[in-house]
Amino acid sequence: MSTTAASNRHPIRLTVNGEVHEREVEPRLLLSDFLRHDLRLTGTHVGCEHGVCGACTILLDGAAVRSCLMFAVQSHDHEIETVEGLGTAEALHPLQEAFRDTHALQCGFCTPGFLMSLVPFLAEHDDPSEEEIRHALGGNLCRCTGYQNIVEAVRLACRRQRQGDAHGLGEGAVPGEMS
Amino acid sequence: MKPAPFVYFAPQTVDEVMDLLRQYGDDAKVLAGGQSFIPTMSFRLAQPEVVIDLNGVEGLAGLREVDNGLHIGTMCRQRTVERSPLVARRAPLLAETMPSIAHPQIRNRGTFGGSLAHADPASELPAVVSVLNGRFRIRRQRGEDWVAADDFFISLFETAVGPEDLLLEVEIPDLAPGSGWAFQEFSRRQGDFALVGVAVVLELEGHVCRQARLALLSVGEGPVRAHLGEAALEGQPMGASLLQRVAEIVAHQDIDPPADIHASKDYRRHLAEVLTRRTLSQAVARAAAD
Amino acid sequence: MSSRYFGQPVKRREDPRLLTGGALFVDDVHLPGMLHVAFLRSDFAHGRLNGVDVEAALQHPGVVAVYTADDLGDYWRPGPLLVPPPPIEGIVFHERTQVPLARHKVRHVGEPIAVVVAESRYVAEDAVAEICADIDPLPVVADMDAALEAGAPLIHEDLESNLAAHVVQHKGDYETARRQATRVVSGRFTYDHGIAAAMENRGVVADWDGREQNLRIWDTTQAPIPIRNGLAAMLGLSESQVQVIAPFIGGGFGPKIMMFYPEEVLLPWISMRLNRPVKWIEDRQENFFATTHERGQTHEAEMAVDAAGRILGIKDVFLHDGGAYDPYGLTVPINSQCTLLGCYRVPSYYSEFKAIFTNKTLVTPYRGAGRQHGVFVMERLLDLAAAEMDIDRVEIRRLNLLAKEDFPHDHQIIYQDFAPLVYDSGDYLPAVDKAAEMIDWQRFIAEEQPRLRAQGKAVGIGLVTYVEGTGIGPYEGARVTVEASGKVNIATGVGTQGQGHFTSFAQVVAEQLGVDIADVRVTTGDTREFQWGCGTFASRGAVVAGNACHAAALVVRKKILALASELLEAAEEDLELVDGKVAVRGVPKTAMTLGELAVKANPMRGAVVPGTEPGLEATTYFGPASGTTASGVHAMILEVDTETFDVEILRYVVVHDCGKVINPMILDGQIHGGVAQGIGNAFYEQLIFDDEGQLLNASFMDYLLPTSTDVPTIEGAHMVTPSPLNPLGLKGAGEAGAIPVGALFAQAVEDALSGLGVKIHEIPLSPHRLFDLVHGGGSQHGGGSQHGGGSQRGGGGR
């Protein structure tokens, strides 16, 4: 069977945030560990390793999935986006900007998972209701914020998205340092 | 919480899968979406020697119309089923159920057939496919079988798919004209496994029930068909007092629910009664509106 | 002075790094040659440990070392007593603290027995599975009442019983008050708190550099400096050889203030022994057993009231579940005992508690730290009195509130900081009125509720008050430095776990120095940057460290003015600090940047005048004599589905007074998060143990944290009664949101179900428990379990 292999380490080739990586991995290596420790993309956080908390959420071929519920070997030939692929500290992605403007993060540990869950949601929703937003957040746990300001951040990001104000100094935010 | 080592195969054809299953049998587990299986491995509750990954196998992920309904491939993602206009049109009960399964991030990866073959008694799909009269196409080491839902679910995490078999696809037949349907569950939080869930399909002729199919989840070792409740409905004109009586029959005669840390036997019975009455009312209303 | 930053909703300085995945958490530390650690932990709650066979594990490929208690030699010793018992007359306290690895006995599930060091965590876990611990199970002490019965198995066999502590505090004469009372209401109340469940589990990286003779430790601790000091002493190193870094921490909430956890003690020792960096990252399963809990108390309480409904006295006798060891002393039950008195005038009080050793994970403070338990008892007693005497629930509270002129108010008992329980300031009545107005109490009860009930909706309303003793000593310090670039550096010793210290401390200092906040850099939690301090706990970060930053900024401001006065030949009173410059007021051309001034203050030639110091820098400490008392009122409206017994919160109102506010945006966030954890405590979260001391729901599938669809939008209002105990007038706010939610939830549910005559004397509740209360069935906490793991999913869909 030429297409299968039984050796202990498997070569994989994948694209992460637009960059191609080739590595050899043990099949049991979780994708979350591979991203964090092999590729040193430590923005993807691990909170439970059983698929509940959502901190490790990434985009697999554009869809939000838990990276702790996949093996790295399964990412062969796939495209992955992590939080490092959104914006930079100097030029935040509009969603990141909205999180900052509304104080939607405290310890920030869960935040990358929320952001990656929300990227596809925002692509599909222009003006979601509060109920839709809360349902969209339902698969990510946050222990600090009580979710209220995360809901607010999604609202703000959508409002700016509607106004085509991609980089974010729209209504609700004062230029500079004040919220 | 790291999985124990295993040997990994990523076959590309069903024939290759079948060869691997024959070779490794009980030592091997097939990996579909992995959304239940991988955490079980991370807790080291499952330590298979061999993992056969179905994600690269050709031809298992289809979703297509056939004359009498839909064929849904075993590796079709739950999210695909949820968002399919075909499913919304031809199997609205299924479409309505899908959002109750965990969260979008799980459904993006979780598969239709994986959930059914895993047969967790708290899963929605086994109960819903049961009331939809689904049929399961199973590839055996020799030949293939079509198995009806009633024969598919055997007991706790056990189905008609043997250790050397592979579930290929599931047929969801169209509902008969004049059918009403409903699915409701009660879970602690959105996306949790339900404490109790009820799926129902009613075929009505005027006000009279011609045929009823009722199944519950989280009340037994698999999806539990409520045969006594169904019998009490069939041939009867629909009315609030009948639905309440049927709900009581279902809760007190059809099921013998387990107790666990989230719900006692009594509370589960109570919920089963409430949800049966609510789903039946909803199904009757839908049938009448049809 | 104008307030450019202080009191403003300044956006957080730390967010860009956190939002882009660029912030360093402990598990992000990668060092060359780093080894990974996993622990063998006890599966038994109580057992005799006869021996540990590690041979197979040692032979496992990739394993570098395996250690048991016997390998530790003199390093094996019980941890320090972190908080000694307070000076209360007649107090009984038995100190029994946790050990690094179990020896001879295991006392709770999850207690570490052996530690494996390997090339990867995966391999370390493989090897752990190959260790054989020979344990004879002993009878388990899981229940507090049974623990004290004669003949109960002893957790610490050198003690006569499982009693950990016995404390009586009283004021006035309750028995006389009782005789004079028109009515005495009483009840048995149980309140169970859960786990902090910070999204980041604990972790330690230790790196001994044999050539430099330095030990660097990254630790998810809330108290890096005490950890540094303790580890240096244990390891025989100078404090200057040990650096403890608490980088970004993914939530603390209390359990990360517990110090000298076994893993924290062992990792540095292993690194020194192997001369290699080692990492241990707690996984979620370990977190349920190895990180401290809070858990439960059972109170038998009564309240004597006069004919008008005024409190004459309260008597409360309770049991406190302390777990297997008590390194954190009596902080949690003392908080319960003191906080029970709340916002009210209580002329006489008799409070007695026994803390009990049980075969469960240790109990240490978790957000609220026992205050919830006390508030629950008080508020439920008031509700009982209101019901029996037909007084409106808000009215009975108004009647008993301390008045503005009662402050400072001495409750005549001792608080957790060993100081008398004296409330520094407060004004409670306007807060109650405000909350009642916001929730529209009168109209809801008169119109809305009858209308909704007529439609068959079981809606209920509630309102409760609470105080929170915050900002306790002993002290924190800060160093403020103006650098040659003009940028300002602040260093302080507290750790930070999401509270926004990088921003709020910068606001305090920027306010005094007139600099742009973008030019202020804050370092917290690195012992190389600041040497002295205690930690982040008891809602004290902003109060104690914030005031230390303020004090240091004032000294630097003085230095700036003195030097500028000399250089500009102008009186200090005529100078102003604006936009990073100092200038003679009204004469812009005199302006010098603070950077220029800093250079002049640190000359390359010439001598520093005796009695002065180079540079524009100051290190200052702030140590409050006693804590300051924050307070608040929460109100809610909810609806119970009387068929499924699910509860939906329709409105939630918080009126809060924590004195002056540095950053209202951050404050609101603290309140929101606290309320969410309170809702978790009230209706979702409970650690469920069986009789064998086994935790039955040790996963996020079965231990239910509230999600976005379970937490309502919180409507808030702030009252400001500045604290007289510190220059900034601050009171702490970190725990406030969480404290009264259980009491409020119980009151509102009871109101919603009033037609069914249900009495709620316990928290947490659940749909299942409400079903049992209404239908009169079942045991209290969900009954026995046939399925160990329950049936929740959360994420593991399929």
Side-chain angles (χ1 to χ4, degrees):
Chain A
M1 234 175 289
S2 62
T3 52
T4 60
S7 76
N8 197 32
R9 291 182 84 80
H10 294 245
I12 58 170
R13 184 176 194 277
L14 72 162
T15 307
V16 182
N17 301 329
E19 196 179 324
V20 176
H21 296 270
E22 294 187 36
R23 290 284 195 285
E24 286 206 337
V25 296
E26 204 187 348
R28 63 167 163 168
L29 181 67
L30 297 170
L31 178 58
S32 44
D33 283 336
F34 173 76
L35 292 170
R36 290 181 45 73
H37 303 305
D38 288 41
L39 299 187
R40 302 279 170 92
L41 292 168
T42 52
T44 298
H45 292 156
V46 169
C48 75
E49 290 182 301
H50 53 284
V52 184
C53 80
C56 69
T57 304
I58 55 154
L59 301 186
L60 176 76
D61 303 325
V65 302
R66 316 283 207 218
S67 61
C68 76
L69 297 187
M70 273 184 72
F71 296 114
V73 65
Q74 296 185 287
S75 67
H76 178 61
D77 269 352
H78 288 278
E79 256 183 57
I80 284 173
E81 284 171 71
T82 69
V83 71
E84 287 90 347
L86 290 183
T88 63
E90 295 71 35
L92 295 174
H93 180 278
L95 192 56
Q96 293 168 320
E97 192 78 55
F99 264 61
R100 185 176 187 218
D101 290 344
T102 56
H103 187 36
L105 66 155
Q106 290 180 28
C107 81
F109 192 82
C110 68
T111 310
F114 273 93
L115 294 171
M116 299 318 283
S117 293
L118 285 168
V119 166
F121 178 78
L122 253 71
E124 294 179 2
H125 293 81
D126 199 32
D127 190 11
S129 66
E130 172 162 345
E131 198 189 345
E132 285 174 308
I133 295 171
R134 286 189 179 270
H135 274 261
L137 302 174
N140 290 79
L141 294 175
C142 170
R143 196 58 160 163
C144 294
T145 64
Y147 306 101
Q148 185 160 334
N149 288 347
I150 301 179
V151 172
E152 216 38 62
V154 178
R155 274 210 198 96
L156 178 62
C158 287
R159 198 156 67 223
R160 289 174 178 168
Q161 184 170 274
R162 283 199 304 280
Q163 294 164 349
D165 182 8
H167 278 283
L169 297 171
E171 59 176 293
V174 179
E177 289 297 328
M178 299 299 170
S179 170
Chain B
M1 288 185 63
K2 310 296 183 191
F6 54 83
V7 174
Y8 175 78
F9 293 98
Q12 294 185 339
T13 68
V14 169
D15 286 343
E16 288 173 12
V17 175
M18 298 314 291
D19 286 347
L20 287 164
L21 285 171
R22 193 184 59 240
Q23 199 177 336
Y24 294 103
D26 272 341
D27 293 337
K29 288 287 280 182
V30 294
L31 172 59
Q35 304 297 285
S36 291
F37 183 40
I38 293 178
T40 313
M41 291 176 73
S42 288
F43 280 113
R44 297 204 178 200
L45 298 170
Q47 300 190 23
E49 310 237 329
V50 173
V51 169
I52 304 167
D53 188 350
L54 301 182
N55 283 279
V57 178
E58 291 157 13
L60 289 180
L63 196 173
R64 62 200 165 94
E65 274 184 300
V66 292
D67 285 350
N68 64 332
L70 297 171
H71 279 191
I72 304 177
T74 200
M75 288 299 290
C76 188
R77 306 287 169 191
Q78 289 158 3
R79 191 74 162 160
T80 307
V81 177
E82 175 186 356
R83 301 183 145 208
S84 157
L86 275 182
V87 173
R89 187 155 47 81
R90 297 193 75 160
L93 172 57
L94 196 51
E96 178 166 272
T97 303
M98 297 311 292
S100 302
I101 303 171
H103 300 281
Q105 299 91 329
I106 299 293
R107 299 195 294 276
N108 277 332
R109 189 76 189 152
T111 62
F112 192 73
S115 172
L116 289 161
H118 183 51
D120 188 317
S123 289
E124 292 83 0
L125 288 179
V128 168
V129 172
S130 291
V131 299
L132 286 172
N133 265 327
R135 297 200 310 146
F136 297 78
R137 186 175 155 221
I138 301 171
R139 171 81 181 263
R140 313 282 189 194
Q141 286 297 335
R142 287 155 193 251
E144 278 181 23
D145 265 346
W146 278 98
V147 176
D150 290 349
D151 301 322
F152 183 81
F153 298 104
I154 295 173
S155 75
L156 204 63
F157 301 110
E158 198 188 341
T159 68
V161 182
E164 295 183 19
D165 304 337
L166 181 68
L167 175 63
L168 294 176
E169 62 181 349
V170 182
E171 178 183 273
I172 306 292
D174 291 330
L175 295 175
S179 290
W181 44 270
F183 173 81
Q184 289 190 30
E185 63 175 27
F186 180 69
S187 60
R188 289 300 319 272
R189 302 171 302 183
Q190 177 211 340
D192 281 348
F193 275 128
L195 302 185
V196 175
V198 180
V200 58
V201 172
L202 296 178
E203 284 176 37
L204 298 193
E205 238 173 46
H207 284 299
V208 176
C209 176
R210 227 160 42 92
Q211 205 194 36
R213 292 180 69 88
L214 237 164
L216 290 86
L217 54 98
S218 285
V219 298
E221 301 212 317
V224 176
R225 278 285 296 282
H227 294 292
L228 297 173
E230 291 168 359
L233 284 162
E234 283 165 5
Q236 301 298 316
M238 296 296 96
S241 64
L242 174 74
L243 300 191
Q244 175 57 33
R245 200 164 69 245
V246 170
E248 287 166 19
I249 290 170
V250 169
H252 294 279
Q253 297 175 39
D254 271 313
I255 63 171
D256 184 21
D260 62 31
I261 57 174
H262 300 293
S264 63
K265 188 184 280 275
D266 284 350
Y267 180 47
R268 277 211 163 82
R269 278 198 203 284
H270 172 84
L271 286 175
E273 185 182 319
V274 169
L275 293 174
T276 301
R277 196 195 67 233
R278 289 181 181 181
T279 43
L280 285 173
S281 305
Q282 198 180 7
V284 169
R286 277 176 169 150
D290 191 33
Chain C
M1 123 184 288
S2 71
S3 176
R4 183 172 172 206
Y5 291 118
F6 190 94
Q8 301 299 319
V10 175
K11 286 197 279 185
R12 295 205 321 173
R13 314 257 300 118
E14 52 269 57
D15 285 358
R17 267 188 294 165
L18 288 165
L19 282 161
T20 53
L24 183 86
F25 290 87
V26 171
D27 190 26
D28 303 340
V29 174
H30 283 273
L31 300 171
M34 189 162 70
L35 297 170
H36 298 266
V37 166
F39 286 87
L40 173 72
R41 298 178 182 280
S42 177
D43 289 332
F44 295 100
H46 199 193
R48 188 85 53 210
L49 177 60
N50 302 316
V52 188
D53 181 355
V54 301
E55 274 316 305
L58 271 170
Q59 300 308 317
H60 194 97
V63 169
V64 174
V66 182
Y67 301 112
T68 67
D70 290 342
D71 298 311
L72 297 178
D74 288 347
Y75 196 65
W76 188 96
R77 76 195 83 152
L81 180 65
L82 303 172
V83 185
I88 295 168
E89 202 186 319
I91 193 167
V92 173
F93 178 73
H94 299 296
E95 171 187 341
R96 293 295 179 278
T97 58
Q98 77 288 350
V99 297
L101 291 170
R103 168 182 275 177
H104 307 315
K105 251 190 116 165
V106 290
R107 294 185 174 89
H108 68 87
V109 175
E111 185 163 19
I113 294 170
V115 52
V116 174
V117 190
E119 296 294 341
S120 80
R121 173 68 179 234
Y122 287 75
V123 172
E125 289 190 20
D126 295 343
V128 162
E130 292 176 10
I131 300 176
C132 184
D134 175 9
I135 298 175
D136 290 331
L138 292 167
V140 170
V141 179
D143 174 79
M144 286 194 284
D145 287 311
L148 290 182
E149 282 169 9
L154 291 177
I155 295 172
H156 300 283
E157 286 159 21
D158 54 333
L159 293 177
E160 284 174 11
S161 77
N162 293 309
L163 181 78
H166 183 203
V167 176
V168 178
Q169 293 213 69
H170 56 89
K171 72 171 195 175
D173 177 7
Y174 174 73
E175 289 309 321
T176 304
R178 191 180 203 283
R179 279 192 298 275
Q180 292 165 349
T182 306
R183 196 179 287 261
V184 176
V185 293
S186 65
R188 178 182 166 87
F189 304 95
T190 61
Y191 196 100
D192 197 2
H193 202 187
I195 56 165
M199 286 297 104
E200 179 202 35
N201 293 308
R202 288 184 300 122
V204 182
V205 175
D207 181 21
W208 169 252
D209 185 326
R211 283 171 301 186
E212 291 199 5
Q213 295 284 296
N214 277 336
L215 179 64
R216 267 194 310 173
I217 299 163
W218 289 262
D219 187 354
T220 55
T221 182
Q222 295 174 223
I225 293 170
I227 289 288
R228 189 270 317 260
N229 298 348
L231 287 176
M234 289 178 206
L235 294 163
L237 299 172
S238 151
E239 286 173 10
S240 68
Q241 285 176 284
V242 183
Q243 180 184 14
V244 175
I245 302 161
F248 279 96
I249 306 293
F253 314 120
K256 288 178 181 167
I257 187 71
M258 160 69 193
M259 290 179 272
F260 309 105
Y261 275 106
E263 304 87 358
E264 229 164 14
V265 170
L266 288 168
L267 268 276
W269 180 85
I270 294 168
S271 178
M272 289 185 73
R273 199 165 165 105
L274 299 177
N275 200 17
R276 283 180 74 172
V278 290
K279 178 191 262 189
W280 168 74
I281 299 298
E282 183 182 58
D283 65 35
R284 185 55 65 184
Q285 199 175 22
E286 288 183 286
N287 181 268
F288 274 94
F289 300 98
T291 289
T292 55
H293 299 166
E294 188 162 299
R295 298 201 306 268
Q297 295 174 354
T298 307
H299 292 246
E300 300 274 359
E302 60 178 56
M303 175 187 278
V305 292
D306 71 10
R310 281 191 199 87
I311 300 168
L312 298 176
I314 292 170
K315 179 181 179 184
D316 180 30
V317 177
F318 67 97
L319 297 180
H320 168 79
D321 177 357
Y325 302 97
D326 58 2
Y328 220 95
L330 297 172
T331 301
V332 173
I334 296 275
N335 272 344
S336 310
Q337 184 168 59
C338 291
T339 309
L340 182 144
L341 295 169
C343 295
Y344 307 108
R345 190 181 297 105
V346 181
S348 68
Y349 184 38
Y350 176 88
S351 173
E352 173 179 358
F353 72 80
K354 289 175 179 166
I356 316 290
F357 288 121
T358 59
N359 285 123
K360 297 177 186 170
T361 297
L362 290 61
V363 164
T364 72
Y366 155 44
R367 200 175 202 171
R371 297 181 182 88
Q372 281 90 332
H373 307 62
V375 168
F376 184 74
V377 173
M378 179 58 141
E379 294 294 320
R380 293 276 63 202
L381 285 172
L382 282 169
D383 293 334
L384 277 175
E388 289 195 16
M389 301 178 77
D390 199 22
I391 304 173
D392 175 78
R393 284 172 278 144
V394 173
E395 201 44 49
I396 199 167
R397 287 170 169 82
R398 282 197 185 104
L399 202 59
N400 285 291
L401 289 176
L402 290 167
K404 197 175 178 181
E405 49 277 12
D406 290 333
F407 295 93
H409 183 77
D410 186 352
H411 272 301
Q412 298 166 37
I413 56 175
I414 300 294
Y415 192 46
Q416 58 145 316
D417 60 351
F418 296 12
L421 181 64
V422 178
Y423 295 177
D424 57 318
S425 61
D427 191 5
Y428 301 151
L429 186 59
V432 168
D433 288 344
K434 178 76 182 170
E437 178 200 314
M438 285 171 73
I439 202 86
D440 213 353
W441 181 272
Q442 293 291 356
R443 202 181 61 83
F444 183 84
I445 287 189
E447 299 169 26
E448 198 74 347
Q449 194 171 33
R451 187 177 63 77
L452 291 166
R453 281 189 174 155
Q455 296 170 16
K457 293 183 189 230
V459 288
I461 190 168
L463 182 147
V464 299
T465 77
Y466 63 100
V467 297
E468 184 199 357
T470 74
I472 60 174
Y475 76 94
E476 289 296 338
R479 185 180 67 247
V480 171
T481 311
V482 179
E483 298 177 349
S485 60
K487 292 193 191 300
V488 176
N489 203 33
I490 306 171
T492 176
V494 298
T496 189
Q497 306 89 36
Q499 299 92 336
H501 294 148
F502 300 101
T503 307
S504 52
F505 294 164
Q507 287 178 253
V508 167
V509 171
E511 186 71 39
Q512 290 307 325
L513 300 188
V515 295
D516 191 319
I517 198 163
D519 290 330
V520 183
R521 180 170 180 272
V522 177
T523 305
T524 70
D526 182 342
T527 60
R528 280 278 158 90
E529 293 280 334
F530 202 82
Q531 295 262 6
W532 299 90
C534 304
T536 307
F537 56 93
S539 303
R540 67 192 291 279
V543 181
V544 189
N547 274 290
C549 290
H550 176 68
L554 285 180
V555 176
V556 171
R557 181 184 171 88
K558 232 176 141 182
K559 287 187 176 183
I560 291 168
L561 292 175
L563 182 61
S565 159
E566 195 184 314
L567 294 171
L568 297 176
E569 296 176 351
E572 288 184 25
E573 315 75 87
D574 295 333
L575 300 177
E576 62 178 4
L577 268 65
V578 180
D579 294 337
K581 299 187 186 98
V582 60
V584 179
R585 194 175 285 105
V587 193
K589 66 176 169 43
T590 61
M592 286 180 73
T593 66
L594 296 189
E596 290 169 319
L597 213 57
V599 172
K600 296 220 183 286
N602 185 22
M604 291 299 286
R605 292 291 184 272
V608 171
V609 180
T612 68
E613 294 161 351
L616 298 176
E617 179 175 286
T619 300
T620 308
Y621 297 88
F622 179 74
S626 67
T628 171
T629 305
S631 62
V633 184
H634 289 205
M636 82 193 317
I637 295 172
L638 53 70
E639 180 177 352
V640 182
D641 179 333
T642 52
E643 289 195 323
T644 63
F645 297 96
D646 203 3
V647 174
E648 185 184 2
I649 298 171
L650 303 173
R651 285 192 63 199
Y652 202 106
V653 165
V654 175
V655 178
H656 184 242
D657 185 347
C658 60
K660 288 206 178 165
V661 176
I662 302 174
N663 185 325
M665 182 184 80
I666 289 175
L667 171 62
D668 285 345
Q670 288 290 318
I671 300 288
H672 296 166
V675 170
Q677 290 188 10
I679 289 169
N681 181 198
F683 200 57
Y684 293 92
E685 300 177 41
Q686 183 168 23
L687 295 163
I688 300 173
F689 293 88
D690 67 9
D691 294 342
E692 295 302 310
Q694 297 287 342
L695 180 58
L696 300 178
N697 56 338
S699 81
F700 276 172
M701 287 183 277
D702 289 311
Y703 185 87
L704 310 179
L705 301 184
T707 71
S708 53
T709 51
D710 306 315
V711 182
T713 298
I714 293 151
E715 307 160 51
H718 298 293
M719 316 294 276
V720 178
T721 315
S723 172
L725 301 182
N726 63 76
L728 292 176
L730 307 175
K731 302 176 181 181
E735 297 168 273
I739 291 172
V741 188
L744 177 62
F745 196 85
Q747 187 191 123
V749 167
E750 193 172 279
D751 185 42
L753 296 177
S754 57
L756 300 170
V758 172
K759 293 290 170 214
I760 310 278
H761 286 197
E762 70 197 56
I763 286 291
L765 298 167
S766 65
H768 176 194
R769 182 62 190 146
L770 290 176
F771 168 82
D772 280 351
L773 285 168
V774 169
H775 291 270
S779 64
Q780 182 155 318
H781 293 307
S785 165
Q786 294 180 6
H787 289 181
S791 65
Q792 295 288 319
R793 164 172 49 207
R798 37 231 72 190

